[in-house]
Amino acid sequence: MKNVTIFGKGNMGKVIAGRFTHAGNQVTLLGSKDAVGTLGDIVVLAVPYASVDVILEANKAQLSGKILIDITNPVNFATMDDLLVPSDSSAAEVIAKKVPGAKVVKAFNTNFASTLAGETATSVLLASDDAQAKAVVTAALEGSHLVVVDAGSLKRARELEALGFLQITLAIREQITWMGGFGLVK
Ligand SMILES: NC(=O)c1ccc[n+]([C@@H]2O[C@H](COP(=O)([O-])OP(=O)(O)OC[C@H]3O[C@@H](n4cnc5c(N)ncnc54)[C@H](OP(=O)(O)O)[C@@H]3O)[C@@H](O)[C@H]2O)c1
């Protein structure tokens, strides 16, 4: 059992909370107006990419040593044609540089919220340079019905974010629905 703190009570925060809770973890959901107490072993950034910095700044000391899950898709919604991070980087790598003490794991960004609701055996891809952090997240999600897959180093967050971006554009262009998305066949 892990204590999990989730920043963001929106679509993603709620369904990720549901999966961690279902797997037997203790989850605290924090909205933008909630006071931040002691953070859990696992911290999830379920907020827009533009809101990440304020959370990192306000909690930098406490985030050191924590597993920090970045689920963001840093899409430039003004153009819908680019990501807001350099093409030779990713939101997860930018975050890792800003909070070097945290063990950053990219996860959930390729899963639309609706596909994480309920108990469907959706695949969740994890990218991190910290193998132990990936193992802890995988163990914490045992019993969640999610299929957790190790996607490699944190550098793979670039591909995960590209995949997340592509999936969003497919849904916007009505080539898939917001209930769909990429699946993984093992
Ligand atoms: N929706 C999807 O299917 C999906 C899929 C994959 C990845 N993502 C990513 O997941 C993230 C969240 O998306 P979402 O769809 O859940 O958005 P959402 O429904 O709009 O929820 C975002 C939440 O973040 C909260 N928030 C903003 N600043 C905060 C702060 N400083 N502290 C705590 N909470 C804060 C907002 O609360 P207030 O309203 O109080 O500001 C809001 O409840 C985004 O980065 C998105 O790219 C989304």
Side-chain angles (χ1 to χ4, degrees):
M1 194 281 282
K2 292 288 173 198
N3 288 310
V4 181
T5 304
I6 302 179
F7 285 94
K9 291 175 170 175
N11 295 314
M12 288 297 275
K14 282 185 202 140
V15 289
I16 291 170
R19 293 289 187 152
F20 274 111
T21 303
H22 194 82
N25 301 284
Q26 185 67 45
V27 177
T28 304
L29 271 170
L30 294 174
S32 54
K33 294 182 180 69
D34 294 330
V36 180
T38 306
L39 296 177
D41 322 287
I42 299 173
V43 177
V44 183
L45 297 170
V47 299
Y49 182 62
S51 303
V52 165
D53 275 357
V54 68
I55 293 171
L56 300 186
E57 276 304 315
N59 301 283
K60 201 163 191 169
Q62 230 202 128
L63 282 169
S64 190
K66 303 288 185 191
I67 294 173
L68 183 59
I69 300 183
D70 164 38
I71 74 161
T72 65
N73 279 311
V75 176
N76 182 341
F77 288 105
T79 64
M80 279 314 296
D81 202 30
D82 301 291
L83 295 180
L84 295 168
V85 291
S87 55
D88 62 348
S89 188
S90 61
E93 290 165 279
V94 170
I95 289 168
K97 281 204 179 108
K98 287 181 177 167
V99 198
K103 302 162 190 174
V104 175
V105 178
K106 187 83 199 182
F108 296 109
N109 75 296
T110 59
N111 305 102
F112 283 152
S114 55
T115 65
L116 292 169
E119 297 185 1
T120 314
T122 306
S123 299
V124 174
L125 298 162
L126 307 186
S128 177
D129 290 336
D130 192 310
Q132 203 200 349
K134 283 188 283 194
V136 170
V137 172
T138 304
L141 287 169
E142 260 171 40
S144 69
H145 299 287
L146 293 170
V147 179
V148 181
V149 178
D150 184 347
S153 69
L154 195 63
K155 207 171 168 187
R156 293 288 77 74
R158 300 173 191 186
E159 286 72 38
L160 295 184
E161 291 175 17
L163 199 60
F165 180 32
L166 178 60
Q167 187 170 259
I168 291 167
T169 63
L170 286 170
I172 288 172
R173 294 178 57 251
E174 298 185 352
Q175 301 301 302
I176 61 170
T177 70
W178 294 99
M179 312 283 287
F182 293 114
L184 195 69
V185 179
K186 281 199 177 186

